[in-house]
């Protein structure tokens, strides 16, 4: 006899592990199926793809069509219904579709912890209670193939943690709050993050993956003290992709590792004094995007990996939080920077960033010839001095590119290197580039006594040319350029004109002068352009 029950929103939860028979949730919003025995389970409104997915187990066995997936709880809510619709798919993108937003919204609306899971037997037989309990525990743990975790710490000291996990035969979610009940303001801020959380999930689970982390770094700092996102996803080629994002008052960081390579990036927000206005920051971001793209082209870097690197760079350097008390010591002290000081800086927060491709042997006949790409770029700012009138300010920017790759002898030819000497017609490139930019500013007794920019760039290109496996040419081309610009005279004159203009004597060109200087401080990795 088939039993169909209606579960209201106030009905107590039923723990699945306390029930010996299998349970199924209907996709119909007002009905949930709770069978009285495994042989009489009926799923109403079930999508055909879900039923088909139950026909064969992960071990290739023909499953009992009457054995429905086992649910941790039989309850009617948006999260469970979302899971019902997603469970029939095998891809992470479809499994987690809308689920992160649904989980966050339900927590924000109910202010109650959430735990739910659905598991399909891999043996074709209904799971015994002990086996079901063990399977649920594993699915909720870090042992699951795919996991996504979002941790939010509130300014009031509470911790909100959400997790989504999946594997071939199961899907699970949890949401819990530690440290006290969330306030109405905290719940409202939580709900506003739902779409951003889902956007991050959608980007990471799509093929190829993308980084859509903006909303998670732009949280309401009056409500939340920090945000952490941690993901581990099994890709189609059985490789694993991991990501760690952290954002708080003192800084932001992203670490990602996958089949293509790794990226690591951190931004120091403690030195708020060095930050420029939005126009200056936009100009600096554009300059760095050009530098990264130039490095990708010169080193033949992986387009997808470098695209994620650029996305991470823009995300961490966009929408800096409003100045607020930091929890760690500043490296630039509390001395106030002038408009002149800012013109000689990038306007960005200090940072370090690196991206490294997985090296591979690109030529079976010569295992030592690796295809590789490694690029790092950084900025650091230091201030010294006893007071506002007597001080120095130094900002350093650095970049380094090391890459190697194979290319055909002529553009348009197909490169297919094997151990056959007839295939060994190619060029092997080895790149080693470095660039730096150093800005120095100094004051004595309130007077500007030093304002300079020193820049250098070097490129080394080694090309080994092989014909039928024989080395025909091995040539290294070095390029190097450096220059130092002393801006003390230009700035002193502009400052004097500005002072006179404020007294009604002439016109000030200070803003134009400072704007022109800003164009000169950014890192330049091309020796040719540096000479120009």
């Amino acid at each position: 006899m088939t039993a169909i029950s209606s579960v209201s929103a106030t009905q107590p939860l039923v723990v699945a592990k306390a029930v010996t028979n299998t349970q199924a949730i209907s996709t119909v919003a007002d009905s949930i199926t709770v069978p009285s025995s495994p042989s009489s389970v009926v799923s109403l409104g079930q999508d055909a793809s879900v039923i088909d997915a139950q026909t064969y187990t992960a071990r290739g066995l023909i499953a009992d069509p009457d054995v429905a997936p086992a649910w941790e709880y039989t309850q009617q809510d948006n999260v469970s219904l979302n899971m019902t619709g997603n469970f029939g798919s095998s891809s992470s993108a479809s499994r987690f579709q809308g689920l992160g937003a649904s989980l966050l919204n339900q927590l924000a609306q109910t202010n109650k912890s959430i735990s739910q899971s659905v598991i399909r037997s891999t043996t074709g037989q209904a799971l015994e209670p002990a086996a079901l309990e063990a399977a649920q525990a594993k699915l909720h743990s870090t042992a699951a193939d795919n996991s996504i975790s979002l941790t939010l710490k509130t300014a009031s000291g509470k911790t909100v943690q959400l997790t989504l996990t999946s594997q071939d035969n199961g899907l699970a979610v949890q949401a819990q709050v530690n440290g006290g009940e969330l306030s109405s303001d905290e719940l409202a801020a939580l709900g506003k993050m739902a779409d951003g959380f889902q956007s991050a999930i959608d980007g990471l689970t799509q093929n190829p993956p993308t980084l859509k982390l903006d909303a998670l770094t732009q949280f309401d700092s009056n409500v939340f003290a920090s945000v952490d996102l941690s993901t581990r996803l099994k890709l189609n080629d059985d490789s694993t992709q991991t990501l760690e994002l952290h954002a708080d008052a003192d800084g932001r960081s992203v670490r990602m590792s996958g089949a293509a390579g790794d990226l690591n990036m951190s931004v120091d927000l403690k030195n708020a004094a060095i930050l420029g206005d939005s126009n200056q920051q936009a100009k600096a971001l554009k300059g760095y995007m050009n530098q990264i793209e130039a490095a990708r082209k010169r080193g033949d870097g992986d387009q997808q990996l470098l695209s994620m690197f650029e996305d991470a760079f823009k995300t961490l350097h966009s929408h800096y939080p409003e100045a607020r008390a930091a929890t760690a010591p500043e490296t630039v002290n509390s001395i106030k920077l002038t408009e002149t000081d800012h013109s000689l800086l990038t306007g960005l927060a200090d940072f370090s960033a690196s991206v490294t491709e997985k090296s591979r042997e690109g030529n079976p006949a010569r295992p030592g010839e690796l295809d590789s790409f490694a690029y790092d770029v950084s900025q650091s700012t230091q201030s010294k001095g006893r007071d506002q009138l007597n001080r120095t300010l130094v900002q350093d920017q650095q970049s380094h590119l090391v890459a190697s790759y194979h290319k055909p002898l002529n553009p348009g030819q197909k490169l297919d290197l094997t151990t056959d000497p007839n295939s060994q017609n190619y060029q092997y490139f080895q790149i080693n580039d470095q660039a730096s930019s150093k800005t120095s500013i100094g004051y004595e007794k309130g007077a500007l006594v030093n304002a300079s920019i020193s820049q250098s760039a070097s490129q080394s290109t080694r090309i080994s040319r092989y014909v039928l496996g024989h080395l025909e040419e091995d040539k290294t081309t070095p390029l190097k350029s450096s220059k130092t610009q002393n801006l003390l005279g230009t700035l002193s004159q502009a400052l004097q004109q500005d002072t006179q203009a404020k007294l009604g004597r002439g016109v000030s060109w200070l803003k134009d002068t400072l704007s022109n200087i800003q164009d000169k401080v950014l890192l330049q990795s091309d020796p040719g352009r540096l000479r120009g």
Side-chain angles (χ1 to χ4, degrees):
M1 179 98 180
T2 301
I4 299 177
S5 63
S6 176
V7 183
S8 67
T10 58
Q11 182 172 343
L13 299 179
V14 180
V15 182
K17 61 189 177 186
V19 182
T20 58
N21 58 303
T22 310
Q23 301 162 336
I25 286 190
S26 167
T27 55
V28 180
D30 59 353
S31 175
I32 293 183
T33 301
V34 185
S36 57
S37 67
S39 62
S40 59
V41 173
V42 175
S43 295
L44 300 181
Q46 187 81 359
D47 185 89
S49 63
V50 178
I51 298 174
D52 291 341
Q54 297 174 16
T55 303
Y56 292 92
T57 70
R59 298 179 182 178
L61 302 174
I62 298 179
D64 185 342
D66 289 332
V67 178
W71 288 82
E72 184 175 343
Y73 294 104
T74 55
Q75 61 192 42
Q76 179 179 303
D77 57 32
N78 290 333
V79 168
S80 298
L81 295 177
N82 199 158
M83 292 173 66
T84 303
N86 292 0
F87 189 51
S89 174
S90 60
S91 71
S92 295
S94 298
R95 279 285 182 95
F96 294 133
Q97 184 177 6
L99 193 53
S102 179
L103 182 64
L104 199 51
N105 275 322
Q106 185 164 311
L107 177 61
Q109 292 164 7
T110 65
N111 202 8
K112 294 181 180 180
S113 296
I114 303 164
S115 182
Q116 183 61 288
S117 65
V118 55
I119 297 174
R120 181 184 299 113
S121 170
T122 60
T123 65
Q125 303 297 320
L127 293 172
E128 295 297 327
L132 176 58
E133 184 174 0
Q136 289 170 342
K138 178 182 178 182
L139 188 56
H140 277 303
S141 74
T142 55
D145 289 340
N146 304 289
S147 67
I148 297 172
S149 174
L150 179 67
T151 303
L152 304 164
K153 291 186 178 180
T154 69
S156 62
K158 302 157 196 168
T159 301
V160 180
Q161 186 163 25
L162 300 96
T163 58
L164 297 82
T165 55
S166 78
Q167 53 195 35
D168 288 345
N169 68 321
L171 178 63
V173 298
Q174 281 188 333
Q176 55 187 8
V177 180
N178 296 315
E181 190 170 295
L182 296 176
S183 68
S184 58
D185 287 343
E186 289 168 339
L187 291 171
L190 203 62
K192 291 179 181 178
M193 295 190 69
D195 289 342
F197 181 36
Q198 188 61 52
S199 179
I201 294 173
D202 293 344
L204 290 168
T205 55
Q206 73 180 42
N207 186 23
T210 59
L211 297 185
K212 300 178 180 179
L213 308 174
D214 301 67
L216 296 183
T217 61
Q218 299 171 29
F219 58 88
D220 188 342
S221 58
N222 294 316
V223 177
F224 297 113
S226 67
V227 172
D228 287 273
L229 176 68
S230 177
T231 70
R232 189 184 69 257
L233 300 170
K234 187 177 180 181
L235 304 182
N236 294 335
D237 59 1
D238 286 335
S239 64
T240 300
Q241 170 191 293
T242 63
L243 177 134
E244 302 285 340
L245 165 72
H246 175 79
D248 62 19
D250 295 333
R252 299 166 173 175
S253 64
V254 170
R255 292 193 303 273
M256 184 173 183
S257 179
D262 306 327
L263 64 86
N264 196 339
M265 193 175 302
S266 62
V267 173
D268 182 359
L269 296 174
K270 295 185 295 296
N271 304 330
I274 68 174
L275 301 182
D277 58 28
S278 58
N279 290 332
Q280 186 181 14
Q281 291 172 13
K283 184 185 295 184
L285 272 178
K286 182 179 180 181
Y288 271 112
M289 290 301 101
N290 291 337
Q291 295 293 311
I292 295 170
E293 183 61 17
R296 183 197 68 78
K297 291 180 178 179
R298 179 158 162 75
D300 198 38
D302 181 86
Q303 177 73 59
Q304 180 60 31
L305 182 61
L306 269 295
S307 177
M308 289 191 289
F309 184 72
E310 292 177 8
D311 287 343
F313 194 95
K314 287 184 288 187
T315 294
L316 297 194
H317 283 289
S318 297
H319 303 283
Y320 292 133
E322 295 179 2
R324 54 193 187 281
T327 59
E330 293 183 346
T331 54
V332 172
N333 57 35
S334 58
I335 292 176
K336 184 178 179 181
L337 301 187
T338 66
E339 188 178 14
T340 301
D341 297 333
H342 280 292
S343 71
L344 289 160
L345 304 177
T346 67
L348 297 181
D350 285 343
F351 66 90
S352 63
S354 64
V355 56
T356 305
E357 288 184 23
K358 300 290 186 185
S359 297
R360 64 182 184 87
E361 294 183 354
N363 185 359
R366 298 179 183 277
E369 291 181 353
L370 299 178
D371 287 341
S372 63
F373 181 96
Y375 176 73
D376 63 80
V377 61
S378 64
Q379 173 190 293
S380 62
T381 311
Q382 297 293 328
S383 176
K384 295 180 181 180
R386 62 179 183 269
D387 54 36
Q388 183 75 24
L389 301 180
N390 301 275
R391 58 188 176 86
T392 60
L393 183 65
V394 177
Q395 184 171 82
D396 280 300
Q397 302 170 69
Q398 304 278 343
S399 72
H400 189 199
L401 168 67
V402 177
S404 56
Y405 54 92
H406 296 81
K407 288 292 182 183
L409 291 179
N410 299 304
Q413 288 184 335
K414 183 179 179 181
L415 188 66
D416 186 16
L417 298 176
T418 68
T419 55
D420 183 353
N422 291 321
S423 73
Q424 294 290 309
N425 303 292
Y426 66 95
Q427 298 179 92
Y428 183 56
F429 288 75
Q430 296 176 77
I431 305 297
N432 194 335
D433 298 351
Q434 288 186 314
S436 67
S437 179
K438 181 177 181 179
T439 294
S440 300
I441 309 167
Y443 292 87
E444 290 182 5
K445 297 180 180 180
L448 184 67
V449 295
N450 178 33
S452 63
I453 303 172
S454 297
Q455 296 173 302
S456 67
S458 65
Q459 293 181 341
S460 174
T461 307
R462 179 181 178 183
I463 304 177
S464 303
R465 188 173 184 271
Y466 289 86
V467 177
L468 297 176
H470 297 290
L471 180 62
E472 296 289 332
E473 184 180 38
D474 192 352
K475 183 179 181 181
T476 300
T477 304
L479 294 175
K480 187 173 183 179
S481 182
S482 63
K483 70 176 180 180
T484 296
Q485 303 173 76
N486 189 340
L487 303 173
L488 180 60
T490 301
L491 283 172
S492 296
Q493 183 178 358
L495 289 169
Q496 290 176 1
Q497 288 178 338
D498 185 63
T499 299
Q500 293 297 315
K502 290 177 180 178
L503 297 174
R505 304 169 186 170
V507 178
S508 173
W509 298 99
L510 181 60
K511 287 188 176 181
D512 290 336
T513 300
L514 298 182
S515 179
N516 291 333
I517 290 175
Q518 286 179 4
D519 294 330
K520 301 177 181 180
V521 303
L522 296 178
L523 191 68
Q524 178 53 256
S525 58
D526 187 339
R529 292 189 178 184
L530 197 56
R531 282 195 295 267

